[in-house]
Amino acid sequence: MNPNPFSDVVAFVTNPVWTTAVFWLLVLASVLIAVFVWNRLPEQRSFSNLVQWSIRLVMGGFWWQQSLWKLPPFYTDHPEAAFGETGLAYWMGLMGKHAAIPLQADFVNNIVLPHFYLFAPVVYSLEVLTGVSLMLGVFVRLFALVGALQILNLWLGLYSAPGEWPWTYFFLVLLQLMFAIHCYGRALGVDALVNVSPVSRIRTTAIGRLLAAAG
């Protein structure tokens, strides 16, 4: 039988590995946060907020899943393969060959790939944090912008790669920007609690202002 979205989802959420357990803990945490915010803040009880929470949760799951083929310490799901044939190094190699902007290709080929194990943890960590941020609704505005920049890098880096449709990445950039502009974390997420009026007193401090801006 050919792969289909339904069988792929079932396989993903039932795969007996530790990353699946972490994923289910994040889903449970997202649901509990949404229930808590729903019960505590009457203004959060709307169909619009439920939809925004659902979209945010699904996209957070997307970021989490996309981090699984670049797991440390080798940043690939096939550590037995030669360097550059699979995982993050393979896709970085494609960017070095097919980037729309020569300067980006030069940066990848001359700086990133020669120092792969310096850059790979940064890429992996940012993707995981973006996924966690979206799933829990915490610092969503900040990490939505971080995610948009990551996808913008892919859009330009894989623009001419064989088999790639550049509009896919462009649509993802727009989606991430939508999360940031419309503050999706404030829809049944932790960010909604940061913006509750009694809690807004923390904005009088420097740290509080930074937290509120990120939320």
Side-chain angles (χ1 to χ4, degrees), residues 143-183:
F143 281 101
L145 292 175
V146 170
L149 290 174
Q150 293 179 80
I151 298 172
L152 183 64
N153 178 60
L154 291 175
W155 178 52
L156 294 173
L158 299 175
Y159 195 82
S160 301
E164 292 290 330
W165 189 46
W167 278 105
T168 301
Y169 299 105
F170 191 76
F171 289 146
L172 287 172
V173 170
L174 296 181
L175 190 58
Q176 290 292 133
L177 292 177
M178 183 178 70
F179 291 158
I181 293 171
H182 294 287
C183 305

Side-chain angles (χ1 to χ4, degrees), residues 79-146:
E80 73 282 356
F83 179 82
E85 292 185 357
T86 63
L88 184 59
Y90 169 77
W91 288 98
M92 285 184 171
L94 285 182
M95 293 175 66
K97 297 175 182 176
H98 303 289
I101 300 175
L103 183 62
Q104 183 184 16
D106 291 341
F107 180 75
V108 171
N109 290 325
N110 300 323
I111 297 179
V112 176
L113 284 174
H115 303 91
F116 175 78
Y117 289 104
L118 178 63
F119 286 91
V122 177
V123 174
Y124 173 76
S125 299
L126 288 177
E127 290 196 12
V128 170
L129 288 173
T130 300
V132 172
S133 169
L134 290 176
M135 294 182 77
L136 302 185
V138 57
F139 299 134
V140 167
R141 177 173 281 177
L142 171 64
F143 281 101
L145 292 175
V146 170

